[in-house]
């Protein structure tokens, strides 16, 4: 009987501790969620400013961003789309996409491209590539991502959109071909879908 009472007592204590921890976690979340959301928005705005020239738009670019969840968007891993307009005409797109075949997993990136297929810039936002090798996709480590600037992406020049080892025009890294290959391929495939099936992406997303 005493053992049962002791077990019950400790069970109550453990339950109380768990309740307090949950309550504290919830409180911390509610106290910090607005600050976290603001920090995320500021980071996103900073990256958008890096790849999207200011003279390309007169709308609120950040406010134009919308998550995409259509089958087509999921298939080509286009997670979010921002639309730049000037004088009420679409001048460029910025979108989040993911290369699933990096050396160490997913490589998340932000891409800006015009409706005519000119890449304005890309930035890698998250990856787990090998330090000293694959992490050269980061601008703070290497200027490799700048090689995308002003490149034209069209079905007619699709063979150019590969690393040199695969017959394309993009440099690979010494000892690390997989990472740049993954980035180039994802910019190519996602960019072509956006350029050729923008209306479908929009229509599916509104359903």
């Amino acid at each position: 009987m005493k053992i049962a009472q002791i077990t019950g007592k400790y069970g109550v204590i453990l339950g109380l501790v768990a309740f307090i921890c949950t309550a504290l976690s919830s409180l911390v979340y509610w106290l910090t969620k607005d600050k976290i959301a603001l920090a995320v928005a500021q980071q996103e705005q900073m990256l958008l400013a890096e790849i999207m020239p200011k003279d390309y738009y007169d709308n609120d670019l950040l406010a134009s961003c919308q998550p995409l969840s259509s089958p087509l968007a999921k298939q080509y891993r286009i997670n979010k789309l921002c639309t730049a307009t000037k004088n009420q005409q679409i001048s460029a797109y910025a979108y989040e996409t993911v290369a699933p075949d990096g050396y160490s997993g997913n490589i998340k990136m932000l891409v800006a491209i015009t409706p005519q297929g000119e890449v304005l810039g890309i930035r890698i936002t998250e990856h787990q590539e090998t330090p000293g090798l694959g992490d050269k996709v980061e601008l703070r480590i290497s200027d490799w991502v700048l090689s995308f600037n002003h490149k034209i992406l069209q079905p007619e020049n699709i063979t150019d959109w590969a690393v040199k080892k695969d017959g394309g025009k993009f440099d690979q890294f010494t000892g690390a071909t997989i990472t740049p290959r993954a980035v180039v391929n994802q910019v190519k495939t996602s960019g072509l879908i956006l350029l050729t099936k923008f209306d479908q992406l929009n229509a599916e997303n509104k359903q």
Side-chain angles (χ1 to χ4, degrees):
M1 186 66 178
K2 289 184 178 179
I3 293 177
Q5 289 176 339
I6 292 172
T7 302
K9 179 180 178 181
Y10 280 114
V12 171
I13 292 173
L14 286 173
L16 182 60
V17 170
F19 173 78
I20 292 172
C21 289
T22 301
L24 287 174
S25 296
S26 298
L27 179 61
V28 169
Y29 168 76
W30 285 108
L31 289 175
T32 60
K33 69 170 187 172
D34 290 340
K35 291 182 179 179
I36 293 172
L38 179 61
V40 169
Q42 289 174 336
Q43 175 72 8
E44 187 175 18
Q45 192 168 27
M46 181 187 73
L47 289 173
L48 283 172
E50 288 184 13
I51 63 172
M52 183 75 74
K54 182 62 180 174
D55 59 356
Y56 268 75
Y57 60 97
D58 54 20
N59 65 320
D60 186 337
L61 186 58
L62 193 60
S64 77
C65 300
Q66 58 177 332
L68 299 183
S69 57
S70 70
L72 187 64
K74 288 181 178 180
Q75 180 182 353
Y76 290 95
R77 299 178 178 86
I78 303 174
N79 300 328
K80 182 184 286 188
L81 176 65
C82 312
T83 306
T85 61
K86 192 161 188 178
N87 299 323
Q88 300 183 333
Q89 298 294 319
I90 295 176
S91 55
Y93 312 107
Y95 63 94
E96 291 180 358
T97 188
V98 180
D101 49 356
Y103 184 79
S104 300
N106 289 344
I107 302 173
K108 296 182 180 180
M109 65 191 88
L110 190 64
V111 181
I113 190 170
T114 70
Q116 293 75 37
E118 181 185 356
V119 175
L120 301 175
I122 79 165
R123 290 293 185 273
I124 305 303
T125 58
E126 186 178 329
H127 72 89
Q128 297 180 353
E129 301 302 277
T130 306
L133 291 173
D135 65 349
K136 291 177 184 177
V137 292
E138 288 187 54
L139 184 58
R140 67 182 182 86
I141 295 173
S142 163
D143 63 359
W144 179 78
V145 294
L146 299 181
S147 65
F148 287 85
N149 293 4
H150 308 300
K151 289 286 195 303
I152 303 299
L153 176 61
Q154 291 292 340
E156 294 78 18
N157 71 344
I158 203 68
T159 55
D160 294 343
W161 282 78
V163 294
K164 290 179 178 177
K165 188 175 183 179
D166 298 335
K169 293 190 174 181
F170 288 85
D171 290 331
Q172 58 265 345
F173 309 145
T174 302
T177 302
I178 293 175
T179 303
R181 177 187 287 140
V183 173
V184 173
N185 285 343
Q186 186 58 29
V187 173
K188 173 180 65 179
T189 56
S190 61
L192 280 176
I193 286 299
L194 183 63
L195 294 174
T196 59
K197 298 191 176 182
F198 174 75
D199 291 339
Q200 184 180 339
L201 279 170
N202 259 347
E204 286 186 358
N205 202 54
K206 293 176 181 178
Q207 291 178 356

